[in-house]
Amino acid sequence: MGANIMTKYIGEEGNGCPLSAGIIVGCPYDMYKVIKHLDSQRFTFSRFYDLAILNFLKNAFKDNQDQILKIPVGMDVKKISNSTGIMEFTEEMTRKAFGYKSAKDLLDYSSCKNYMDDIKIPVLFLNSLDDPICIKSLIPFEKFVNNPNIVLALTENGGHIGYMGGTWPTSWIEHPVIEFFESALKHYGSKK
């Protein structure tokens, strides 16, 4: 989710973005479609992510329930607690808390794909073709064709931001990240 938030921020800031460059790893691009995908999975690795995220959301709600329920929007604690997927939780709690008509409206508004055309700094996006969350069919390839400030790098393996490899599995993602930032600073300088 952090990749989506950072991409949206960079796009919203446009020419006023205070960053010199950015790297986005494992971006979901379209939050509505990603959550629909996760919720639809049964007996797959993607379902583990769905349940982990859902349990995190339910626990966060439970821990902050007294404060959240002060928002006068008619939340049903039982429906929230019994949600079986992220979309259902978003429909019952999150969209109401933030004043959206539906979970789809909230997720569409929150999706970074809507802001990628406005990115004005160099940004490298790294996605893995075996990512169980950010699946290939949801990558907006046309955005990368139409905006010269953004580049998409795809790897065969990496899962969802794991990028493990070698004889002793270690993460290798830091190598292209460092290379890109060093090159971006060399060619574009630093905004201070």
Side-chain angles (χ1 to χ4, degrees):
M1 305 298 173
N4 183 74
I5 293 168
M6 181 57 80
T7 302
K8 185 174 181 279
Y9 167 76
I10 294 170
E12 286 175 327
E13 292 299 307
N15 287 323
C17 185
L19 305 174
S20 298
I23 295 183
I24 307 295
V25 180
C27 192
Y29 304 105
D30 187 323
M31 296 304 295
Y32 179 74
K33 289 181 179 177
V34 165
I35 291 174
K36 277 187 66 169
H37 161 72
L38 288 174
D39 281 354
S40 73
Q41 301 300 298
R42 299 290 182 252
F43 312 111
T44 67
F45 197 61
S46 296
R47 183 64 177 158
F48 289 111
Y49 283 103
D50 187 57
L51 292 174
I53 294 167
L54 178 62
N55 286 332
F56 171 81
L57 293 170
K58 285 181 174 182
N59 287 332
F61 173 76
K62 184 179 176 185
D63 291 347
N64 299 285
Q65 182 173 323
D66 293 340
Q67 285 299 110
I68 294 170
L69 292 176
K70 289 180 182 177
I71 304 168
V73 291
M75 290 185 211
D76 185 327
V77 174
K78 187 174 182 176
K79 283 184 178 179
I80 294 168
S81 300
N82 292 331
S83 298
T84 59
I86 299 169
M87 191 69 72
E88 186 179 352
F89 181 91
T90 304
E91 185 64 44
E92 294 299 331
M93 199 291 284
T94 314
R95 69 101 183 163
K96 291 179 181 179
F98 291 97
Y100 287 86
K101 290 190 302 186
S102 68
K104 184 176 186 327
D105 285 347
L106 166 65
L107 295 168
D108 284 345
Y109 170 77
S110 302
S111 293
C112 69
K113 70 174 184 161
N114 302 320
Y115 303 88
M116 293 173 68
D117 294 336
D118 300 319
I119 293 175
K120 304 299 183 202
I121 62 169
V123 179
L124 172 64
F125 288 79
L126 294 170
N127 281 86
S128 175
L129 294 174
D130 68 348
D131 190 326
I133 294 176
C134 309
I135 59 176
K136 180 182 176 183
S137 64
L138 300 181
I139 297 172
F141 291 100
E142 72 284 355
K143 299 288 186 183
F144 297 96
V145 172
N146 295 328
N147 186 338
N149 298 308
I150 59 177
V151 174
L152 174 64
L154 294 172
T155 62
E156 288 290 326
N157 301 298
H160 185 65
I161 66 173
Y163 294 96
M164 304 300 278
T167 53
W168 180 259
T170 56
S171 174
W172 54 264
I173 193 68
E174 65 274 5
H175 301 296
V177 167
I178 291 168
E179 250 181 75
F180 178 79
F181 274 131
E182 286 176 345
S183 178
L185 286 173
K186 178 180 174 183
H187 294 295
Y188 302 104
S190 175
K191 292 184 180 179
K192 289 187 180 183

